[in-house]
C-alpha cells in the first residue's frame, strides 16, 4: 500500500537557521507533490506544488526538491522565523483529472525559537 | 471572495447517533473533497466529488457517505457514530486544470466529538 513518511514528528531550530523537512514515499509514483502548512485547529494551507519533471521549486524563503529516483522530497525554509512554527504536511499526488484527492503524510511540527 | 466554509465548527454527539457536516466550496470550484484528521495524524482522504459524482473514496466504512449538490456544496454523513470517529473533518475545494495538478483550499474544519 502507499506509504508516506515525514522525517520526524518534531523539529526544533533557532531563528535565522534553515529548516529542512523530509518526505519519503513508497509503493507509488506521484506525478506531483504538494506541501501544506497547518496551524493548530485550522485547515491546511497550500504552500508549493512541484511536478515530477521539476527538480526544484522556490517561493520566497521556501524551496522544494523532488527526487523521483530516491522517492523523496525535501522542503527548506531559509532564514526561519518564529512565525514559521507550524506543522508541515507533504502530499504526493497522482494525476487526477477530477480534482484533488491528496494522500498526506503525518506531518512534521516545526518550532522556531527566537 | 469567501473561502471554503464549513458548518458547524464544533459538534458533540453520542455514540450511535448520526451526523451531517456541511461544506460550501469557493465560488467556481466544482471539486470537493472530505478528509478526517485525528489528533497527531495527517488528514485522511474520505471522499472526492466532482460535478455531483463521486470520483474517489478512501478506506472508510459504509457508515460514511457524502453527496454534492447542484450548487457544488457538499454534505458528509456519518451513521452509527463510534468514539473513534472523533476528529477534525476537513473539506477542501479545488478547481480543475488541464494537467490535473491543482492546489486544494481547505475550510477551517468541523471538530466532531463523540461521547
Amino acid at each position: 500500500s502507499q506509504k508516506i513518511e515525514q522525517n520526524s514528528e518534531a523539529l526544533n531550530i533557532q531563528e535565522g537557521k534553515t529548516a529542512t523537512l523530509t518526505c519519503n514515499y513508497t509503493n507509488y509514483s506521484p506525478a506531483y507533490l504538494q506541501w501544506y502548512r497547518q496551524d493548530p485547529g485550522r485547515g491546511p494551507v497550500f504552500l508549493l506544488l512541484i511536478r515530477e519533471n521539476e527538480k526544484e521549486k522556490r517561493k520566497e524563503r521556501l524551496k522544494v526538491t523532488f527526487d523521483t529516483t530516491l522517492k523523496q522530497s525535501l522542503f527548506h525554509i531559509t532564514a526561519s522565523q518564529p512565525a514559521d512554527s507550524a506543522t508541515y504536511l507533504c502530499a504526493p499526488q497522482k494525476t487526477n483529472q477530477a480534482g484533488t484527492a491528496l494522500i498526506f503524510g503525518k506531518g512534521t511540527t516545526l518550532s522556531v525559537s527566537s | 471572495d469567501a473561502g471554503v466554509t464549513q458548518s458547524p465548527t464544533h459538534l458533540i454527539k453520542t455514540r450511535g447517533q448520526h451526523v451531517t457536516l456541511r461544506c460550501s466550496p469557493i465560488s467556481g470550484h466544482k471539486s470537493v473533497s472530505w478528509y478526517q484528521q485525528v489528533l497527531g495524524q495527517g488528514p485522511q482522504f474520505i471522499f472526492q466529488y466532482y460535478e455531483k459524482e463521486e470520483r474517489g473514496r478512501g478506506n472508510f466504512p459504509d457508515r460514511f457517505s457524502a453527496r454534492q449538490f447542484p450548487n457544488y456544496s457538499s454534505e458528509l454523513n456519518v451513521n452509527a457514530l463510534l468514539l473513534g470517529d472523533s476528529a477534525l473533518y476537513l473539506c477542501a475545494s479545488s478547481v480543475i486544470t488541464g494537467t490535473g495538478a491543482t492546489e486544494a483550499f481547505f475550510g477551517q474544519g468541523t471538530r466532531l466529538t463523540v461521547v
Side-chain angles (χ1 to χ4, degrees):
Chain A
S1 62
Q2 300 165 2
K3 190 175 179 183
I4 301 160
E5 290 184 350
Q6 295 193 238
N7 58 325
S8 61
E9 291 188 5
L11 183 64
N12 300 303
I13 63 168
Q14 288 241 308
E15 183 175 10
K17 301 291 186 184
T18 296
T20 299
L21 286 64
T22 305
C23 176
N24 295 294
Y25 57 90
T26 55
N27 296 331
Y28 72 126
S29 299
Y32 319 98
L33 194 144
Q34 302 190 26
W35 283 88
Y36 288 77
R37 169 185 171 139
Q38 186 173 27
D39 292 288
R42 313 280 295 187
V45 175
F46 173 79
L47 296 175
L48 281 169
L49 179 151
I50 187 167
R51 292 173 167 75
E52 61 180 338
N53 61 351
E54 297 176 316
K55 295 295 184 187
E56 179 181 299
K57 200 150 193 184
R58 292 174 184 262
K59 179 182 176 183
E60 298 172 351
R61 294 185 295 109
L62 308 180
K63 184 179 84 170
V64 172
T65 63
F66 191 8
D67 189 325
T68 56
T69 301
L70 292 178
K71 293 185 179 292
Q72 180 182 82
S73 174
L74 298 179
F75 178 81
H76 306 272
I77 306 175
T78 58
S80 59
Q81 305 165 1
D84 295 326
S85 299
T87 295
Y88 292 86
L89 301 160
C90 79
Q93 179 196 359
K94 291 183 178 180
T95 302
N96 185 342
Q97 295 301 321
T100 303
L102 299 168
I103 309 298
F104 284 94
K106 199 173 180 179
T108 296
T109 298
L110 174 67
S111 295
V112 182
S113 55
S114 56
Chain B
D1 283 339
V4 177
T5 57
Q6 292 186 243
S7 62
T9 54
H10 295 84
L11 200 54
I12 299 175
K13 289 285 191 177
T14 304
R15 277 178 297 174
Q17 285 188 316
H18 162 271
V19 69
T20 297
L21 310 181
R22 296 178 174 82
C23 172
S24 293
I26 292 172
S27 177
H29 289 195
K30 299 180 180 180
S31 177
V32 170
S33 299
W34 287 94
Y35 296 81
Q36 180 196 67
Q37 187 173 26
V38 176
L39 199 62
Q41 301 291 322
Q44 298 294 308
F45 170 67
I46 309 175
F47 283 110
Q48 181 188 25
Y49 276 77
Y50 175 63
E51 289 284 15
K52 301 178 287 290
E53 290 187 5
E54 182 182 308
R55 295 299 187 99
R57 181 180 184 128
N59 188 24
F60 279 80
D62 292 343
R63 297 184 298 107
F64 289 76
S65 64
R67 55 180 175 167
Q68 187 176 34
F69 298 98
N71 67 353
Y72 304 110
S73 67
S74 179
E75 281 183 356
L76 175 70
N77 295 284
V78 187
N79 291 323
L81 285 166
L82 304 174
L83 295 178
D85 295 330
S86 296
L88 181 67
Y89 287 84
L90 295 161
C91 172
S93 74
S94 57
V95 64
I96 306 307
T97 67
T99 63
T102 179
E103 64 185 275
F105 294 83
F106 284 84
Q108 82 283 6
T110 294
R111 171 70 64 187
L112 173 65
T113 302
V114 183
V115 297

